[in-house]
Amino acid sequence: MVRQQHAGEDERIVRRYDYEDGWVIAADVGVADDRLTADIAGETAIVLVDGETELEFEVPGSVESVDTNNGVLVVRGTQ
């Protein structure tokens, strides 16, 4: 199942994919990986670009990994 959330001032689409053993959230932030960081605070992922908040979205459970690839943030976890 794919769910979508809108995050940030420009209402970017953040996609969530649910699987039997976990979930994946992908957000195309559109900046170079070295400018992009993410912090997880409880049930919220906070995405920073150059140290400033770019967008926030909810995570549905425990986060196992956070990766970036060509400006796409990928958060993986278990429910």
Side-chain angles (χ1 to χ4, degrees):
M1 170 192 275
V2 177
R3 297 181 184 170
Q4 294 184 355
Q5 298 182 44
H6 297 278
E9 291 180 10
D10 60 357
E11 293 295 309
R12 290 188 181 147
I13 294 177
V14 177
R15 288 198 168 101
R16 176 176 145 191
Y17 303 89
D18 293 307
Y19 302 101
E20 288 183 26
D21 59 348
W23 49 266
V24 175
I25 296 177
D28 187 353
V29 183
V31 299
D33 292 352
D34 62 345
R35 296 179 54 206
L36 181 63
T37 58
D39 291 323
I40 307 299
E43 296 179 355
T44 304
I46 303 166
V47 181
L48 306 169
V49 174
D50 296 330
E52 297 196 22
T53 302
E54 181 73 15
L55 62 103
E56 297 180 11
F57 55 87
E58 294 180 25
V59 293
S62 178
V63 173
E64 292 181 348
S65 68
V66 177
D67 300 303
T68 60
N69 187 10
N70 293 325
V72 177
L73 177 74
V74 179
V75 181
R76 290 181 174 83
T78 56
Q79 296 181 12

